[in-house]
Amino acid sequence: MANGKRLKIALVGKPNSGKSSLFNQLTGLNQKIGNFPGVTVDKRIGFCQLDENIQGEIIDLPGIYSLYPRTLDEKIVTEIFTDQQNKLYPDKVVLIADATNLKNCLLLLTQLMDLKIPSVLALNMMDLAAKSGLSMDVKKLASKLDMPVVMINARQGHGIVELKRCMAKDLKASHKTVFTIDEEIRPVVEKIKTHFHLQADYEAYQYLQQPDNLVFLKPEQREFIKSTAKENGFFAHKYQGAETVTRYGFIQELLNEIVIKKSTREWKKVSYGIDKVLTHKVWGYLIFFVVLFLIFQSIFAWAQIPMDFIDNSFARLSNVLAKELPEGPLFELISQGIVPGIGGIVIFIPQIAILFAFIAILEETGYMARVVFMMDKIMRKFGLNGKSVVPLMSGWACAIPAIMATRTIDNWKDRLITIFVTPFMSCSARLPVFTILVALIIPDTKLFGFFNYQGLVLMGLYLLGFLAAILSAWAMKFIIKTTERSFLMMELPTYRMPKWSNVGYTIIEKTKAFVFEAGKVILAISVILWVLASYGPIDEMNAAKKLMREEGQKLNLTEAQIADNVAAYKLEHSYAGKLGKSIEPVIKPLGFDWKIGIALVTSFAAREVFVGTIATIYSIGSAEDQPTIKQRLKKEINPETGGPRYTPAVGMSLLVFYTFAMQCMSTLAIVKRETKGWKWPLIQLAYMTGLAYLSAFIVFQTMS
């Protein structure tokens, strides 16, 4: 930034406090997503202009309740606030508090005050607070806390200008100390404070409380802290309990002084009424099922028009380039390798956008929290808990963030089971495979004039994956002997209309992640495959024309037919063809040929590569017009039967195989990272591949 100052500002608050909405209001699309150092938790950073001279670097930290962590997300935040050398240590903190539930939001704030970090309290959801009848003296609150307090409505953008003004000011840390170090432990706190050159007593106290959670400390430093604590009779749990009591005492006293009029239960009357239906022990589950049904019908019906447009556009572009560009390997690579490869990525954006739009709306409205509440009882029967629903549902989008989302599950065994079964949930990467094959083998007709058969089959595949997930979890409950019990504790947010800009940000963010992360792999493999499918041993490739022409003359074939045979011969004798043939004996009992074998191998990098591979392989033909993928697959003939290669039996076998198979290197890598070893990912790979093979075998042999 030219001639200006940049401030590092952290946004913190408990889950569902409106932190993400505020982050979007402050940064708009000027944000980027990465990982926190050494872990795979999302780190969202954005930028906003606070005034003419000051730019804010806004860090959206994971939602937490206090600095005593139980999850990895909470540990990350604790490390940042207790390590002034951390690159993310903020100049200021904005704590977003739900004004309708202030008591549960202030515990963390009092800890930040004692760490002497300059802070601003942003009172969010003031519209709901007013609706509830709550009235408070905000000026008195600011005075008592000795920090700026700003009233905002993060969803509507109200109060953002005032908040920016506060963030740009030269803030000092609050002079208020909430938790005073007891005289009994002051000597040991002073010793730690002096040894590590710390500024605040509470910082030293945190070192004593949780040295193992502060990973920035070196092993010898942790040992020093532990030995010092032992020598001085410091027992962490004893003082932590006293600290919590002190803090809540302060908060209650504060609320007694600043609350002019308490809220009533009447304002939630509508929410309670909706809950009676949506969380009903019968209707609740039926409604949830209908919602899922609507989502998958919409993905198929709404996305079809833009997908067809994209498919046809890239096919036309490929044809034009093939005609207009000079001959040569480079130009063939562009027209037949790169352009179809990009098309294989872009075509699925409409479906992914629709899926994430629905997920975002469910979260925005507060319905997702009810789903977690409803599913807790059921999940526990299968070795999971209510919090497993979010990772499992996220698994329908992508297994990688879904497995990362299991960090919210406190119980390690519940978490391990959730990690193990989440890849069974049919992710968006499977969607391209499903949609192509379903459209290929299932007629586009309607049941009772309303239900699309293709949509029904697609929904069936998703349910099949879900069924495999919960049954596998049930089996694992006995295998790893889950004896630990955990309990679900969560706040149900008030029902609200979704904030459409937040839904939009989610769609853009997830689509970008798909295009620029999965897309790179897809494009790279598409190009590699095109090379493999275009080149082979020189002698064999050079002999293609001569052999096929001789054969064509014997059979009185036309020039076009001879050209087709030349292309087919070259493909069969290419390096890709040789690779596919080598695994053909293993996959033949499933109804797959060597061309499908190539796609199975390459799609292990990413499932959606299956479609790009198929597109690349079948694009190398002799047809004058570039066919679409579906049209090309329909034309493929099984040389053994003389009928279509992609019969319903082969199509269903492939669909079932992709429903159960791991087929994703990235997922294996993330499981290895989360379970800290190769044991579980390798077991997972063997189990899912075995189940996929066996199921596809049964389907093909039964339907043939």
Side-chain angles (χ1 to χ4, degrees):
M1 188 182 64
N3 302 320
K5 182 179 175 184
R6 176 177 289 180
L7 291 175
K8 201 172 287 180
I9 298 171
L11 302 185
V12 294
K14 71 180 184 65
N16 294 320
S17 61
K19 192 163 54 63
S20 295
S21 296
L22 177 58
F23 180 76
N24 289 334
Q25 286 285 354
L26 289 171
T27 64
L29 290 174
N30 192 16
Q31 52 182 265
K32 57 183 180 182
I33 299 177
N35 284 342
F36 286 101
V39 295
T40 53
V41 174
D42 276 353
K43 177 183 69 177
R44 297 207 305 165
I45 291 181
F47 300 90
C48 76
Q49 203 64 35
L50 300 178
D51 64 18
E52 291 180 355
N53 300 311
I54 301 176
Q55 187 184 47
E57 180 183 349
I58 313 297
I59 308 164
D60 185 14
L61 294 176
I64 62 169
Y65 289 90
S66 79
L67 294 180
Y68 288 111
R70 292 196 304 168
T71 65
L72 183 57
D73 289 5
E74 292 174 334
K75 284 181 184 175
I76 290 168
V77 180
T78 303
E79 283 173 29
I80 291 172
F81 287 139
T82 52
D83 177 17
Q84 296 193 25
Q85 304 306 314
N86 192 305
K87 289 181 180 177
L88 295 175
Y89 187 84
D91 299 305
K92 298 170 186 176
V93 171
V94 175
L95 186 135
I96 299 94
D98 176 356
T100 66
N101 192 9
L102 204 50
K103 187 175 182 178
N104 289 344
C105 300
L106 295 183
L107 181 64
L108 176 60
L109 182 68
T110 62
Q111 291 178 309
L112 296 176
M113 290 163 64
D114 288 345
L115 283 174
K116 301 304 173 189
I117 301 175
S119 304
V120 177
L121 174 61
L123 289 177
N124 192 23
M125 305 183 197
M126 288 304 294
D127 55 330
L128 295 179
K131 189 177 176 183
S132 73
L134 178 68
S135 177
M136 67 179 84
D137 188 337
V138 176
K139 285 186 179 178
K140 195 171 186 178
L141 176 62
S143 172
K144 289 286 179 182
L145 294 173
D146 188 26
M147 70 173 63
V149 177
V150 182
M151 294 184 287
I152 66 168
N153 182 334
R155 288 163 61 82
Q156 302 300 325
H158 300 159
I160 302 299
V161 174
E162 176 61 24
L163 180 61
K164 283 185 179 179
R165 196 175 295 129
C166 276
M167 291 157 71
K169 283 181 182 173
D170 185 19
L171 282 182
K172 302 292 182 187
S174 171
H175 292 92
K176 189 83 180 177
T177 299
V178 178
F179 177 63
T180 305
I181 302 298
D182 194 284
E183 288 303 320
E184 185 182 24
I185 57 172
R186 179 158 293 283
V188 66
V189 170
E190 287 294 339
K191 193 171 183 178
I192 296 297
K193 190 177 170 184
T194 303
H195 183 83
F196 289 96
H197 307 291
L198 303 176
Q199 301 296 316
D201 291 348
Y202 189 63
E203 201 175 357
Y205 174 82
Q206 280 293 322
Y207 277 41
L208 283 163
Q209 277 285 354
Q210 45 185 343
D212 289 332
N213 285 332
L214 308 179
V215 295
F216 59 85
L217 293 173
K218 296 175 182 175
E220 59 269 24
Q221 291 177 320
R222 287 198 200 105
E223 196 53 42
F224 173 79
I225 294 169
K226 289 176 183 176
S227 60
T228 304
K230 189 175 180 181
E231 288 169 9
N232 290 271
F234 181 89
F235 299 105
H237 292 298
K238 172 185 174 184
Y239 296 105
Q240 187 181 337
E243 179 194 345
T244 305
V245 171
T246 301
R247 292 192 186 283
Y248 273 114
F250 169 82
I251 293 167
Q252 188 58 57
E253 188 178 329
L254 178 70
L255 294 177
N256 291 341
E257 291 189 45
I258 61 109
V259 172
I260 300 169
K261 183 184 174 186
K262 292 184 179 179
S263 60
T264 65
R265 286 176 56 85
E266 287 299 309
W267 75 284
K268 283 191 173 181
K269 192 175 177 182
V270 174
S271 269
Y272 293 144
I274 297 173
D275 274 342
K276 284 182 181 177
V277 178
L278 294 187
T279 61
H280 188 271
K281 59 184 179 182
V282 176
W283 303 118
Y285 296 107
L286 287 176
I287 291 170
F288 180 48
F289 185 80
V290 170
V291 170
L292 288 181
F293 181 80
L294 176 65
I295 290 173
F296 298 123
Q297 282 287 319
S298 303
I299 288 173
F300 233 104
W302 298 353
Q304 200 57 49
I305 294 175
M307 286 182 70
D308 286 343
F309 173 77
I310 293 168
D311 189 20
N312 292 330
S313 298
F314 273 89
R316 281 198 294 271
L317 177 60
S318 184
N319 278 334
V320 170
L321 291 176
K323 288 179 181 176
E324 300 298 328
L325 291 176
E327 291 186 359
L330 175 62
F331 300 112
E332 287 179 5
L333 171 66
I334 295 171
S335 62
Q336 297 178 25
I338 294 176
V339 171
I342 295 173
I345 301 164
V346 177
I347 192 171
F348 299 109
I349 289 178
Q351 290 177 321
I352 290 168
I354 289 173
L355 179 61
F356 278 110
F358 272 103
I359 290 175
I361 289 170
L362 294 183
E363 288 177 341
E364 281 279 313
T365 54
Y367 181 61
M368 185 70 88
R370 271 74 181 181
V371 171
V372 173
F373 167 73
M374 278 194 308
M375 298 301 290
D376 191 57
K377 278 185 181 177
I378 295 174
M379 289 296 168
R380 288 189 182 283
K381 293 177 182 174
F382 297 97
L384 304 168
N385 70 37
K387 288 184 178 178
S388 301
V389 171
V390 174
L392 288 177
M393 286 192 67
S394 301
W396 278 328
C398 180
I400 294 165
I403 289 170
M404 290 159 54
T406 61
R407 293 170 185 171
T408 58
I409 302 172
D410 300 326
N411 183 286
W412 166 242
K413 290 186 177 178
D414 289 357
R415 187 182 167 210
L416 178 61
I417 294 174
T418 308
I419 289 173
F420 193 88
V421 303
T422 293
F424 276 118
M425 306 301 285
S426 295
C427 67
S428 57
R430 284 185 175 105
L431 196 56
V433 184
F434 287 172
T435 50
I436 286 288
L437 293 173
V438 168
L440 195 65
I441 63 171
I442 305 298
D444 185 16
T445 54
K446 290 184 170 60
L447 177 66
F448 305 128
F450 180 75
F451 299 114
N452 184 286
Y453 275 112
Q454 294 180 341
L456 288 171
V457 171
L458 181 65
M459 183 181 174
L461 292 170
Y462 275 77
L463 289 177
L464 190 62
F466 178 72
L467 198 62
I470 59 172
L471 291 179
S472 299
W474 177 78
M476 285 191 69
K477 181 174 76 167
F478 299 104
I479 293 171
I480 65 172
K481 301 186 185 304
T482 308
T483 55
E484 296 178 33
R485 293 185 64 83
S486 60
F487 301 92
L488 176 68
M489 290 181 63
M490 64 180 300
E491 297 171 30
L492 295 181
T494 308
Y495 287 105
R496 293 172 296 184
M497 285 296 292
K499 176 69 174 173
W500 297 110
S501 60
N502 286 344
V503 176
Y505 284 128
T506 301
I507 295 171
I508 292 171
E509 186 182 293
K510 302 300 181 187
T511 305
K512 277 170 62 182
F514 173 77
V515 171
F516 294 108
E517 292 176 19
K520 285 186 290 189
V521 179
I522 297 169
L523 181 59
I525 292 181
S526 294
V527 171
I528 291 170
L529 276 171
W530 177 82
V531 173
L532 288 174
S534 300
Y535 296 92
I538 295 175
D539 292 344
E540 294 181 41
M541 301 304 277
N542 288 342
K545 283 187 179 177
K546 183 182 177 185
L547 291 174
M548 290 301 101
R549 184 162 292 282
E550 289 175 358
E551 186 180 307
Q553 288 173 349
K554 290 178 185 175
L555 299 173
N556 293 321
L557 298 180
T558 64
E559 284 298 317
Q561 289 171 321
I562 291 173
D564 284 348
N565 287 347
V566 170
Y569 182 93
K570 284 187 174 181
L571 180 58
E572 188 175 348
H573 292 81
S574 68
Y575 294 120
K578 293 182 182 300
L579 179 65
K581 282 183 175 177
S582 68
I583 64 167
E584 191 171 27
V586 179
I587 58 175
K588 196 170 183 180
L590 312 184
F592 305 160
D593 64 357
W594 56 273
K595 293 177 184 175
I596 296 176
I598 297 172
L600 291 181
V601 171
T602 55
S603 64
F604 185 71
R607 295 181 184 95
E608 58 271 36
V609 171
F610 174 86
V611 178
T613 303
I614 289 290
T616 303
I617 289 173
Y618 289 112
S619 289
I620 305 173
S622 60
E624 292 182 2
D625 294 323
Q626 181 74 24
T628 63
I629 298 172
K630 285 182 288 186
Q631 288 169 339
R632 189 65 184 84
L633 292 182
K634 282 180 180 176
K635 291 177 182 176
E636 183 66 3
I637 300 297
N638 184 340
E640 294 181 3
T641 64
R645 158 60 63 192
Y646 291 89
T647 61
V650 172
M652 287 307 298
S653 176
L654 259 177
L655 285 169
V656 170
F657 184 89
Y658 270 96
T659 300
F660 294 145
M662 168 66 87
Q663 292 294 106
C664 184
M665 279 194 304
S666 302
T667 303
L668 273 182
I670 203 73
V671 172
K672 186 257 177 182
R673 194 167 189 171
E674 295 298 312
T675 58
K676 302 185 188 305
W678 278 109
K679 175 186 170 184
W680 287 107
L682 290 178
I683 292 174
Q684 195 177 29
L685 174 64
Y687 173 66
M688 294 183 69
T689 305
L691 182 63
Y693 188 92
L694 180 63
S695 304
F697 176 79
I698 294 171
V699 167
F700 179 71
Q701 297 300 329
T702 304
M703 293 183 66
S704 296

